[in-house]
Amino acid sequence: MRTTSVGVFKVATKGPGDVSGLMSMIGSGTIDPKSILAILGKTEGNGGVNDFTREYGVAALCAALAPHLALPPHEIEQRIAFVMSGGTEGVLSPHITVFTRREVERPADISGKRLSIGMAHTRDLLPEELGRSAQITETARAVKAAMADAGISDSDDVHFVQIKCPLLTSDRVEAAAARGNKTATTSAYGSMAYSRGASALGVAVALGEIAPDVRDEDVLRRYDLFSKVASTSAGIELMHNVVIVLGNSASSASEFEIGHAVMDDAIDAAAIMSALNDVRIGAAPQATKGRELVNIFAKAEASPDGSVRGLRHTMLEDTDISSTRHARAAVGGLIAGLAGTSAVYVSGGAEHQGPPGGGPVAVIARLSD
């Protein structure tokens, strides 16, 4: 059986184009650029359709890594999975998390399952397929492929599935219409929710969390259908889904572990504590001997029924600030307070990602003993 070692490195950034921290770690030999499999980032954009900090961040990383991989910048994206999530409202701090993977001999003194990572992607999707069963089916296939790439056979060992998915633009809507087809919506901003939701349902199907007979009309309507580990972000820069599976595997010799829990709402501190306890580190200040918090990944959304535990919220009615920005700030502050760090990955828009108004939260810890 192939044994891999996964590395996880959190790097603060001064702006979406700042690659100095990563380059410093490469220069010191801390990170081997040839082993980089995925980079997840939080950028200080608005998180909307016109958030070009995501594309800017990816372009900067590709340009910086190209000489180290002897590839032109445009080919770097074929080799490394980039997921840039815009929006660092409130106390959230911009940063990237770099995942590396290399094959190793499994040390005799390592027991149990350790962090493993796998990557796959769907075919390019047509505009009229976004937010519909075709995207669900293709995503489910890619999740299975990413699990195999990670050496994970049991869906219970999957703790977080990060997906970057496409959205609609006016040109893409017009292209579908020219073929005689209608898109799920004509709104670019609204299409982000459809794409995120369908992608999350694809994760749920792949992991057996829901039955595979999901219909087009279930997307953004059947909120009782959801995945407990899916995190999906929509962007303008691609037309396929990039799927990253994070879990624990017996084929990994990593010094990291991952655990997760599910938030029932935006103030569910107990779920965050459960996720921290799942990797045995607890709330800040983390004083567990031999274990160190690396990063927390979570989804956030304004509860669609307009209330949190029976009390009205105004996030959906604010015409100045979008609800996704409110939700990121609220959940980010809650997690930062419990984790003791504001450099956490909180992504807005949790359609079918956890129960309505809630979302999954995953924690990666380093075993330093």
Side-chain angles (χ1 to χ4, degrees):
M1 179 174 63
R2 183 187 69 164
T3 301
T4 60
S5 178
V6 174
V8 188
F9 307 88
K10 185 165 68 175
V11 185
T13 56
K14 300 173 183 177
D18 178 27
V19 298
S20 61
L22 175 58
M23 291 301 102
S24 177
M25 297 184 82
I26 289 175
S28 68
T30 303
I31 293 178
D32 176 3
K34 295 183 175 62
S35 69
I36 297 175
L37 187 71
I39 299 179
L40 275 59
K42 285 300 302 180
T43 65
E44 53 265 64
N46 60 27
V49 177
N50 65 333
D51 183 355
F52 300 110
T53 65
R54 297 176 301 217
E55 187 175 5
Y56 177 31
V58 172
L61 288 165
C62 288
L65 289 169
H68 294 277
L69 299 176
L71 292 171
H74 70 274
E75 290 187 17
I76 302 297
E77 284 190 73
Q78 307 303 316
R79 175 173 177 143
I80 297 172
F82 292 95
V83 179
M84 295 292 134
S85 173
T88 50
E89 299 80 7
V91 298
L92 291 174
S93 182
H95 68 283
I96 60 173
T97 305
V98 182
F99 293 87
T100 64
R101 187 179 69 181
R102 57 190 177 87
E103 293 196 16
V104 298
E105 293 292 330
R106 185 176 179 87
D109 59 346
I110 287 186
S111 61
K113 297 177 180 180
R114 300 292 182 91
L115 176 67
S116 188
I117 182 173
M119 184 180 72
H121 58 80
T122 68
R123 61 170 172 81
D124 278 358
L125 298 164
L126 294 171
E128 57 266 36
E129 292 179 319
L130 299 188
R132 291 178 169 153
S133 56
Q135 189 173 23
I136 297 172
T137 300
E138 290 300 320
T139 302
R141 289 174 181 162
V143 171
K144 289 289 190 181
M147 285 178 64
D149 186 47
I152 298 174
S153 57
D154 188 343
S155 59
D156 289 340
D157 288 327
V158 175
H159 292 277
F160 201 65
V161 180
Q162 178 63 58
I163 293 177
K164 188 69 177 183
C165 53
L167 54 82
L168 292 174
T169 62
S170 57
D171 287 345
R172 292 170 184 176
V173 172
E174 289 175 7
R179 291 189 294 272
N181 296 318
K182 289 185 177 181
T183 53
T185 177
T186 58
S187 165
Y189 187 73
S191 75
M192 298 176 77
Y194 273 99
S195 187
R196 289 191 301 255
S199 298
L201 289 172
V203 176
V205 168
L207 300 181
E209 297 175 291
I210 63 173
D213 56 345
V214 188
R215 302 168 299 171
D216 290 353
E217 53 266 34
D218 294 332
V219 181
L220 303 192
R221 293 178 181 86
R222 287 283 307 278
Y223 284 111
D224 57 313
L225 303 177
F226 59 83
S227 170
K228 296 180 179 180
V229 297
S231 171
T232 64
S233 296
I236 199 171
E237 64 272 21
L238 76 177
M239 277 307 293
H240 60 277
N241 278 15
V242 177
V243 178
I244 302 169
V245 166
L246 292 166
N248 295 316
S249 171
S251 66
S252 173
S254 166
E255 60 176 334
F256 303 88
E257 286 183 357
I258 186 170
H260 84 280
V262 183
M263 298 177 68
D264 287 329
D265 55 40
I267 58 174
D268 193 353
I272 299 167
M273 286 302 306
S274 178
L276 288 165
N277 290 331
D278 201 22
V279 291
R280 292 173 282 171
I281 54 176
Q286 286 93 10
T288 305
K289 183 178 180 181
R291 287 178 178 263
E292 174 190 354
L293 174 65
V294 179
N295 208 349
I296 298 180
F297 303 85
K299 289 298 295 189
E301 73 168 0
S303 177
D305 69 0
S307 67
V308 177
R309 301 189 188 183
L311 294 175
R312 183 173 68 95
H313 70 73
T314 62
M315 290 184 280
L316 297 173
E317 301 162 356
D318 191 339
T319 55
D320 295 314
I321 304 172
S322 73
S323 63
T324 54
R325 306 195 77 175
H326 277 292
R328 278 192 296 264
V331 174
L334 179 64
I335 292 176
L338 292 172
T341 175
S342 60
V344 293
Y345 183 101
V346 180
S347 173
E351 304 85 1
H352 302 290
Q353 300 151 73
V361 53
V363 181
I364 295 177
R366 175 185 286 108
L367 284 64
S368 55
D369 55 354

